[in-house]
Amino acid sequence: MNAVPPQGISLRDDLGAEVRIARPVRRVVSLVPSLTESVAVTCPELLVAATQWCTHPADLSVERVRGTKNPNVRRIVELAPDLVLCNQEENRRRDVERLREAGIPVWVTRIETVDAAFPALTRLFTEALGVPAPSWLLAAERIWAAAPPEHARAAVIPIWRRPWMVVGRDTFTGDLARRLGLHLVHADRPERYPRVDEADLTRGVELAVLPDEPYVFTETDGPEAFPGIPCALVEGRSLTWYGPSLVTARNILSRQIAAAAAR
């Protein structure tokens, strides 16, 4: 007796690309840490592989297919996933194209603001994966609906040094920072992640927020570049990830920023 082929549905991802997805979805590869955690917390039975940078949940036990910028495309194809999850900013277009040329459906998200995260993740679950929207997503949306503090602090968020690179305009992290009461002094530059010299790095800055990813800033590596300026050392996941961390990120980051500013 011949096997019945799986049913499929054609959808469009966040970039408008048509994606033909099998129904039901049974095998997912995620190349985005935020999305990996989102799927692992919500429907872990679907996740078969992720990148080496996918560090949450802490007990995540799936095959690793290298990194976000250099995924093992050949191995992903061998895994025969029903869907691969990518992000416009975190993954390379050529890797998406190679997977699609090999017949692998790829869903690409575009998330540049906190508000954009909620419908994008809702669509990913309810349309692409065909599962209900998780309760943590609804809780996060309620938490981030609150207005930002009335008075904003002039701040900088470095993401790299040697050379210094900082969060700029039109970024998820920049929008999240605004909701925490921070005004990023470099957000008026044309680049989304501008390079700055040491003089510009601290000019007009009242607070430096130093995450532990992608560059691992620590008490002995980072604060010394901001003499006389309070520094908040924060978890990069809370500052840059869109997923279950959004439920706790606002409270954690607000406390850390307030503690640093009070020193």
Side-chain angles (χ1 to χ4, degrees):
M1 182 175 178
N2 294 330
V4 177
Q7 298 297 311
I9 184 172
S10 289
L11 300 168
R12 294 196 178 272
D13 67 12
D14 288 0
L15 302 188
E18 185 175 3
V19 186
R20 182 75 178 177
I21 305 175
R23 281 291 186 264
V25 173
R26 294 190 177 94
R27 297 174 61 80
V28 173
V29 173
S30 173
L31 303 182
V32 186
S34 298
L35 301 183
T36 298
E37 183 181 21
S38 298
V39 175
V41 167
T42 306
C43 39
E45 69 281 1
L46 302 184
L47 196 62
V48 297
T51 77
Q52 65 191 46
W53 304 113
C54 296
T55 56
H56 286 76
D59 61 352
L60 181 66
S61 179
V62 296
E63 182 171 338
R64 305 298 174 147
V65 286
R66 294 204 299 249
T68 58
K69 306 296 186 186
N70 66 333
N72 188 335
V73 172
R74 178 179 299 178
R75 180 55 185 154
I76 295 171
V77 173
E78 291 174 350
L79 289 169
D82 296 315
L83 192 63
V84 174
L85 306 182
C86 291
N87 174 263
Q88 182 188 31
E89 180 172 302
E90 296 197 46
N91 305 112
R92 303 183 302 180
R93 178 185 295 180
R94 66 181 180 181
D95 292 321
V96 172
E97 292 173 346
R98 289 173 66 195
L99 286 165
R100 286 176 172 164
E101 288 168 359
I104 304 298
V106 182
W107 185 272
V108 183
T109 61
R110 176 168 54 197
I111 299 175
E112 296 179 349
T113 66
V114 173
D115 281 344
F118 302 119
L121 290 171
T122 298
R123 287 191 66 227
L124 186 147
F125 284 111
T126 63
E127 298 183 27
L129 299 179
V131 301
S135 58
W136 61 258
L137 182 56
L138 303 177
E141 188 167 10
R142 288 193 298 269
I143 289 168
W144 286 96
E150 184 176 350
H151 300 291
R153 293 187 179 94
V156 62
I157 303 177
I159 58 168
W160 204 257
R161 69 181 305 179
R162 304 184 189 95
W164 286 101
M165 296 180 66
V166 301
V167 175
R169 59 189 292 271
D170 299 336
T171 62
F172 173 82
T173 299
D175 184 54
L176 186 144
R178 178 187 64 80
R179 293 162 182 265
L180 295 172
L182 303 179
H183 167 66
L184 299 186
V185 298
H186 301 293
D188 59 349
R189 294 174 180 245
E191 305 90 355
R192 298 178 70 232
Y193 297 99
R195 293 187 180 189
V196 297
D197 58 29
E198 292 189 4
D200 285 339
L201 179 68
T202 58
R203 186 176 292 116
V205 172
E206 300 172 341
L207 176 73
V209 179
L210 307 180
D212 62 6
E213 64 176 52
Y215 188 92
V216 184
F217 289 102
T218 67
E219 291 183 359
T220 58
D221 185 357
E224 78 285 349
F226 300 90
I229 297 174
C231 293
L233 290 163
V234 303
E235 178 192 44
R237 172 173 165 266
S238 293
L239 191 65
T240 64
W241 289 30
Y242 34 83
S245 59
L246 285 172
V247 176
T248 56
R250 187 162 197 164
N251 183 50
I252 291 172
L253 293 170
S254 294
R255 287 191 286 104
Q256 291 175 323
I257 289 169
R263 292 173 193 156

